[in-house]
């Protein structure tokens, strides 16, 4: 589905004219398409099934976009959740995701969060994805106190180096994530960890925005090797998330198709795991970005122009507090005018925040823009609102959902001054 097209020179998002929206809603705002979110999820899920992966469970990485209405849509499609805090756990449950489809990741789970997860009704979480031995010890103690049994999955640090931004690379020894093989295998011999815990799975997650699958393959081989060495009847192998999207046109030709990704997983596990054991654990995925990035847009209004000799600044009403990826990672996001016209000038599109990094794009070819004109920042569904802040004491922006039946629904109100604390 082509999410962005011009019709009569006006930008349409999944068939919705953007300029008419701004008559009713105040900029800046995020808008998400239910149709695209659904399509991305279905593609991922069907891809896993077509590649013959066993009983796939897709746990949406909630940190990429925890909006309750979006999570509800995914829950109805059968999605599970990958969570990293008690807040995300509560949100996942409220949105209708059953606990047995939830994996709890993160290096810093607190005792309070662990106890909250253990107290859930029913059989509890799919797993605590454990990142250190001290954490395992704490989970075991909490489970003992609450007379529960904790389901444990070790996150393996596979010691690989994927090609991605250093801030979102997670699979090497110098990173705080995951446990080394040696520590996993030693822990299995220590009874103190296992009185109220049971090892049910092994996971890897080597980073985000992965476009080159070489490191992914290596990580899966490592996952298989260590899974075999545990000599435990593991119920699942969790292959993590991280599959990239094409933010920049140059990335489009590198972008792994879902089919390629799934086949790589199937073939690697076949050789490295299934050929050596009778175990047939289910396969768990933790995608975030790939499901939601392209289903969202950020819409901003031009406040004014400013020309400093040969630098032309277009100042917009959205800022790095609303969408942080460009300022935090130098990430590229396409900028599109809502009214199509010849792109006759190169501009720096900047926000109102008092930081030089508050810039959505430098030297971007754009048509002449005047106060009140609209600009759209593309592919902002993932790590957008969720990374936002009130920096400069700005209210958080509005979030809109374009429903399948083409109705617009407010799924999160803009904050006004009275809500700023
Ligand atoms: C962030 C994260 C993910 C999701 O990564 P994406 O790049 O959004 O797919 C999955 N698993 C873990 C453990 C994470 O921290």
């Amino acid at each position: 589905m082509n999410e962005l097209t011009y019709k009569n020179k006006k930008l349409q998002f999944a068939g919705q004219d953007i300029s008419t929206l701004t008559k009713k809603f105040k900029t800046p705002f995020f808008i998400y398409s239910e149709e695209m979110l659904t399509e991305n999820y279905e593609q991922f899920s069907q891809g896993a099934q077509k590649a013959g992966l066993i009983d796939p469970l897709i746990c949406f990485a909630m940190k990429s976009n925890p909006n309750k209405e979006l999570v509800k849509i995914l829950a109805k499609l059968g999605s599970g959740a990958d969570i990293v805090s008690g807040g995300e756990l509560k949100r996942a449950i409220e949105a209708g995701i059953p606990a047995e489809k939830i994996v709890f990741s993160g290096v810093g789970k607190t005792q309070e969060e662990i106890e909250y997860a253990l107290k859930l009704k029913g059989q509890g979480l799919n797993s605590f994805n454990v990142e250190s031995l001290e954490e395992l010890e704490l989970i075991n103690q909490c489970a003992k106190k609450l007379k529960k049994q904790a389901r444990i999955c070790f996150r393996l640090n596979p010691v690989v180096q994927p090609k991605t931004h250093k801030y979102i690379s997670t699979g090497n020894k110098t990173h705080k994530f995951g446990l080394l093989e040696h520590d996993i295998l030693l822990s299995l011999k220590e009874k103190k960890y296992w009185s109220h815990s049971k090892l049910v799975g092994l996971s890897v997650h080597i980073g985000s925005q992965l476009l080159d699958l070489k490191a992914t393959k290596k990580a899966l081989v490592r996952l298989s090797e260590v899974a075999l060495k545990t000599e435990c009847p593991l119920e699942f192998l969790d292959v993590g998330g991280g599959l990239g999207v094409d933010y920049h046109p140059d990335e489009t030709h590198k972008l792994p198709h879902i089919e390629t990704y799934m086949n790589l997983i199937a073939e690697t596990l076949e050789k490295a795991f299934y050929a050596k054991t009778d175990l047939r654990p289910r396969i768990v995925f933790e995608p975030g970005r790939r499901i939601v990035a392209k289903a969202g847009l950020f819409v901003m209004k031009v406040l004014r122009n400013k020309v400093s000799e040969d630098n032309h600044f277009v100042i917009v009403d959205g800022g790095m507090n609303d969408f942080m990826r460009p300022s935090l990672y130098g990430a590229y996001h396409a900028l599109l005018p809502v009214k199509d016209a010849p792109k006759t000038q190169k501009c720096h599109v900047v926000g109102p925040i008092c930081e030089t990094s508050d810039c959505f794009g430098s030297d971007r070819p754009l048509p002449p823009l005047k106060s009140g004109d609209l600009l759209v920042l593309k592919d902002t569904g993932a790590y957008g609102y969720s990374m936002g802040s009130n920096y400069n004491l700005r209210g958080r922006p509005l979030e809109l959902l374009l429903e399948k039946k083409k109705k617009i629904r407010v799924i999160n109100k803009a904050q006004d001054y009275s809500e700023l604390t």
Side-chain angles (χ1 to χ4, degrees):
M1 178 177 173
N2 192 357
E3 70 274 26
L4 281 166
T5 49
Y6 286 97
K7 197 170 151 192
N8 300 328
K9 303 210 180 248
K10 285 186 189 157
L11 190 67
Q12 317 275 311
F13 175 55
Q16 167 69 45
D17 184 307
I18 296 294
S19 55
T20 54
L21 281 179
T22 56
K23 295 194 177 100
K24 205 164 153 206
F25 301 105
K26 195 169 157 259
T27 56
F29 59 77
F30 285 91
I31 177 165
Y32 309 104
S33 153
E34 178 177 13
E35 202 175 341
M36 288 174 55
L37 182 68
T38 305
E39 195 175 293
N40 294 345
Y41 178 85
E42 293 290 7
Q43 255 185 18
F44 200 95
S45 158
Q46 286 164 13
Q49 276 156 23
K50 274 191 212 138
L53 292 167
I54 298 166
D55 193 16
L57 172 63
I58 295 169
C59 293
F60 173 61
M62 287 203 24
K63 72 177 188 288
S64 65
N65 194 327
N67 184 288
K68 195 168 173 178
E69 298 306 310
L70 301 187
V71 181
K72 269 191 199 166
I73 293 169
L74 292 172
K76 284 205 187 99
L77 296 171
S79 182
D82 168 39
I83 57 149
V84 291
S85 70
E88 285 188 1
L89 175 55
K90 180 164 182 285
R91 178 67 57 84
I93 301 278
E94 283 172 1
I97 295 182
E100 65 265 24
K101 286 189 183 175
I102 296 176
V103 300
F104 194 167
S105 303
V107 296
K109 301 173 192 79
T110 63
Q111 180 163 350
E112 193 185 343
E113 289 171 325
I114 292 166
E115 289 185 358
Y116 173 32
L118 283 168
K119 282 181 191 157
L120 293 172
K121 285 191 214 94
Q123 68 167 73
L125 298 186
N126 176 75
S127 54
F128 288 93
N129 286 8
V130 166
E131 308 233 17
S132 66
L133 295 181
E134 279 192 30
E135 178 192 335
L136 178 60
E137 196 169 356
L138 177 63
I139 294 173
N140 190 58
Q141 280 167 6
C142 293
K144 185 174 177 189
K145 185 172 104 185
L146 297 168
K147 301 192 174 62
K148 298 268 185 178
Q149 197 186 44
R151 290 168 56 82
I152 302 296
C153 162
F154 279 124
R155 175 168 175 181
L156 171 69
N157 184 324
V159 197
V160 296
Q161 190 66 60
K163 279 189 203 152
T164 187
H165 191 283
K166 67 177 195 291
Y167 290 0
I168 51 177
S169 177
T170 59
N172 214 323
K173 265 193 253 191
T174 54
H175 303 136
K176 66 182 174 181
F177 299 102
L179 278 154
L180 298 174
E181 169 184 337
H182 165 83
D183 296 316
I184 291 177
L185 297 178
L186 269 184
S187 80
L188 292 171
K189 300 201 179 93
E190 294 222 31
K191 289 212 173 66
K192 68 172 180 185
Y193 295 124
W194 303 105
S195 68
H196 291 75
S197 304
K198 181 184 166 195
L199 187 69
V200 290
L202 196 66
S203 77
V204 277
H205 173 72
I206 58 172
S208 202
Q209 184 54 9
L210 306 174
L211 295 173
D212 171 359
L213 297 181
K214 277 201 202 95
T216 304
K217 185 169 174 179
K218 267 193 213 155
L220 292 172
V221 171
R222 294 289 300 128
L223 179 76
S224 302
E225 288 168 356
V226 180
L228 293 169
K229 284 191 197 167
T230 63
E231 295 176 348
C232 289
L234 299 179
E235 293 174 28
F236 66 90
L237 294 178
D238 177 342
V239 300
L243 194 58
V245 298
D246 52 343
Y247 289 115
H248 193 282
D250 287 354
E251 287 166 345
T252 309
H253 69 279
K254 291 192 237 163
L255 189 72
H257 286 284
I258 296 282
E259 202 185 328
T260 314
Y261 174 69
M262 296 298 176
N263 287 339
L264 175 108
I265 295 173
E267 283 160 20
T268 309
L269 292 180
E270 185 57 52
K271 278 198 208 123
F273 190 77
Y274 301 134
K276 298 176 185 168
T277 173
D278 294 331
L279 289 179
R280 291 294 177 267
R282 85 183 299 191
I283 305 300
V284 176
F285 297 86
E286 303 169 353
R289 194 186 306 274
R290 189 68 176 235
I291 305 292
V292 74
K294 300 217 135 221
L297 278 191
F298 185 56
V299 181
M300 309 175 282
K301 197 178 266 176
V302 173
L303 296 172
R304 61 190 66 93
N305 288 271
K306 169 170 171 169
V307 181
S308 298
E309 286 188 345
D310 47 3
N311 285 288
H312 185 145
F313 298 97
V314 172
I315 303 170
V316 291
D317 62 358
M320 63 186 267
N321 73 302
D322 303 309
F323 192 76
M324 205 168 165
R325 288 183 32 77
S327 54
L328 186 61
Y329 312 124
Y332 177 94
H333 284 262
L335 279 158
L336 302 172
V338 167
K339 221 187 299 162
D340 195 19
K343 299 185 168 87
T344 54
Q345 57 186 21
K346 280 197 169 171
C347 311
H348 311 312
V349 176
V350 299
I353 305 283
C354 299
E355 299 277 342
T356 300
S357 65
D358 183 26
C359 176
F360 290 125
S362 297
D363 287 321
R364 298 294 182 91
L366 286 168
L369 294 161
K370 58 180 192 319
S371 179
D373 284 346
L374 299 165
L375 268 180
V376 151
L377 193 65
K378 200 170 167 257
D379 309 326
T380 46
Y383 305 103
Y385 192 96
S386 65
M387 286 185 122
S389 75
N390 289 114
Y391 188 39
N392 278 205
L393 211 52
R394 281 164 52 88
R396 305 291 306 275
L398 171 75
E399 290 182 288
L400 298 173
L401 178 68
L402 174 60
E403 294 180 331
K404 272 197 184 145
K405 40 189 197 293
K406 301 292 172 203
K407 268 211 187 123
I408 301 284
R409 184 151 61 96
V410 173
I411 54 172
N412 204 358
K413 284 193 301 201
Q415 274 182 328
D416 63 28
Y417 296 149
S418 66
E419 290 164 278
L420 299 176
T421 50

